[in-house]
Amino acid sequence: MALSIAMKEWKLLLKEKGTFFWLLLMPVLFIILFGSVFSHLGSSSISLPYIDLDRTQASQSFLDSLAQKSGFRLEAKDASTLDDQVDRIRNGKMSSLLVIPQGFADEIGGAGGKQASVELYSDSSSNTVAAVRASLENVANDLRETKIDGALKAAGENVDQRKQALASPLLIDDKPQNATAVNTIAQVVPGYTVMFVFYVTISMIRRFLGDKSSGMTARLRTTRLAPLNYLLGMWLAYMVVALAQCAVLLGFGHFVYGLELGNVAAIVVLVILLALCGTGIGLALCMLVRGENQGMAFTQLVAMGGAVLGGLWFPAELMPKTMRTISHFIPQYWAQSAFQDIMLRGAHLGAILPSLGVLAAFAAAGLLVALLRFRGFMKSAMS
């Protein structure tokens, strides 16, 4: 009998175009939007306008070195537009402008004992200025080392002696511990998958309250269908919807963005527990809310609040300490952590058991509340 209720619910859901928008199209659009934005941060798509007033081989060599080391796309500007470019920075329409003054080649060659200089006009409120300045300092350090190397060579030092003198006293021995390199898509795809699982609650609330207001729930008492079968059938219907939603979104991330899913068995078990958790909490809300507007408000609180505190939009380690502590009491945090353990650290099922346990506990709590409140829900439908 519960399966009959679920079949009925699936047929109704397939007829509602809004269901596909909220549960599939909307999260896909979020993944595309934020995946495209975050995956291009720090790439060479950021441009650095410059004006070369020297126009010598030395200035061009400097610019080539800067482009290679910074990754910025250098964009030449005409010298006659200098004042206009500076005004654009003052008005917040540009972040920076690099100017190589006349005489740069002579000064970089050490003529007259002068120190070569370049001018960096910048908007101090821009986030890219620090990266530009750091890149310029890297090029300056390379030029300084070249100058020192020339002086040592002139003093009669051999190649090995010069290398030893120029070697840094500090060696960074990088030992990465993750099985896979960090990937912004591994943050975005599972993050929005987890977030929109909890939006299934919107459809659940509408259906439960719709059945109640239409008198269908009351009529069930006059049939041979046990009330508990009605509850289980509705839960089964949305469990399958949540599982399908996760499969579509993770598959989209894998085939479109090349997301490495990791251990498939661990992903499958995690998705099942996530669906149990999301629909369990959703079932509890259906039994607690008194109207659709109240239900929408609670759903937004659970879904959006959980997304922020659970680290679904950005890594949890970027949050303040207090928020990181609170996040451990949010099911979304444990789901996202488990996804990233599998996708980024090569974890298998045994390694994510604590996260699975927390999701199971939230699912059990939600189902318990739903069962305790179900009798009251049925009585209110009769009145």
Side-chain angles (χ1 to χ4, degrees), residues 242-290:
L243 291 173
Q245 182 187 37
C246 290
V248 170
L249 297 181
L250 293 176
F252 179 83
H254 176 68
F255 291 109
V256 177
Y257 287 100
L259 174 66
E260 293 294 335
L261 297 179
N263 186 268
V264 176
I267 288 288
V268 169
V269 175
L270 175 57
V271 165
I272 292 173
L273 265 297
L274 174 61
L276 283 170
C277 178
T279 55
I281 293 175
L283 208 60
L285 287 176
C286 290
M287 299 298 107
L288 292 171
V289 298
R290 297 182 178 181

Side-chain angles (χ1 to χ4, degrees), residues 275-340:
L276 283 170
C277 178
T279 55
I281 293 175
L283 208 60
L285 287 176
C286 290
M287 299 298 107
L288 292 171
V289 298
R290 297 182 178 181
E292 188 172 316
N293 288 336
Q294 187 184 52
M296 298 303 107
F298 276 111
T299 300
Q300 294 290 350
L301 179 63
V302 171
M304 301 292 282
V308 175
L309 294 174
L312 305 186
W313 293 350
F314 44 81
E317 57 264 25
L318 299 181
M319 297 189 296
K321 184 177 180 181
T322 302
M323 292 183 66
R324 291 200 305 270
T325 301
I326 296 173
S327 69
H328 286 73
F329 298 92
I330 305 295
Q332 288 94 326
Y333 166 83
W334 295 95
Q336 178 74 344
S337 296
F339 271 122
Q340 297 204 316

Side-chain angles (χ1 to χ4, degrees), residues 55-297:
R55 294 184 175 276
T56 61
Q57 184 176 355
S59 63
Q60 186 58 52
S61 177
F62 173 81
L63 290 170
D64 291 342
S65 180
L66 177 61
Q68 181 180 6
K69 290 186 175 299
S70 68
F72 292 119
R73 185 179 69 251
L74 298 186
E75 184 180 344
K77 299 292 183 181
D78 191 86
S80 61
T81 66
L82 176 58
D83 291 338
D84 180 59
Q85 300 296 328
V86 173
D87 286 339
R88 287 173 60 83
I89 292 175
R90 289 171 180 165
N91 295 329
K93 297 179 180 179
M94 278 176 53
S95 61
S96 57
L97 173 69
L98 176 66
V99 177
I100 302 178
Q102 287 182 335
F104 176 83
D106 294 335
E107 293 174 352
I108 202 73
K114 293 183 178 180
Q115 184 180 25
S117 65
V118 294
E119 299 169 351
L120 178 63
Y121 296 87
S122 63
D123 179 356
S124 59
S125 64
S126 172
N127 294 325
T128 63
V129 173
V132 173
R133 188 176 291 109
S135 298
L136 289 171
E137 290 174 354
N138 285 337
V139 176
N141 287 333
D142 286 347
L143 293 173
R144 178 178 57 82
E145 291 180 2
T146 301
K147 183 177 180 180
I148 294 174
D149 183 66
L152 292 174
K153 184 177 181 180
E157 299 284 346
N158 60 37
V159 175
D160 292 336
Q161 290 173 324
R162 297 201 307 270
K163 285 183 177 180
Q164 185 176 3
L166 293 172
S168 172
L170 175 65
L171 175 64
I172 301 175
D173 188 8
D174 191 13
K175 296 182 178 180
Q177 300 300 304
N178 294 338
T180 309
V182 175
N183 186 345
T184 54
I185 297 302
Q187 168 71 33
V188 172
V189 173
Y192 285 103
T193 299
V194 173
M195 174 180 165
F196 278 93
V197 162
F198 289 86
Y199 273 101
V200 173
T201 303
I202 292 178
S203 297
M204 296 176 70
I205 289 174
R206 284 176 176 171
R207 186 65 63 213
F208 271 100
L209 295 182
D211 287 351
K212 182 179 177 180
S213 61
S214 67
M216 178 181 172
T217 306
R219 289 194 297 271
L220 289 176
R221 300 295 296 268
T222 64
T223 67
R224 298 175 59 185
L225 178 67
L228 188 59
N229 283 336
Y230 168 72
L231 183 67
L232 293 177
M234 296 288 279
W235 180 40
L236 173 62
Y238 289 99
M239 261 291 298
V240 173
V241 170
L243 291 173
Q245 182 187 37
C246 290
V248 170
L249 297 181
L250 293 176
F252 179 83
H254 176 68
F255 291 109
V256 177
Y257 287 100
L259 174 66
E260 293 294 335
L261 297 179
N263 186 268
V264 176
I267 288 288
V268 169
V269 175
L270 175 57
V271 165
I272 292 173
L273 265 297
L274 174 61
L276 283 170
C277 178
T279 55
I281 293 175
L283 208 60
L285 287 176
C286 290
M287 299 298 107
L288 292 171
V289 298
R290 297 182 178 181
E292 188 172 316
N293 288 336
Q294 187 184 52
M296 298 303 107

Side-chain angles (χ1 to χ4, degrees), residues 348-364:
H348 291 254
L349 187 59
I352 63 169
L353 287 178
S355 295
L356 296 178
V358 173
L359 292 176
F362 273 100

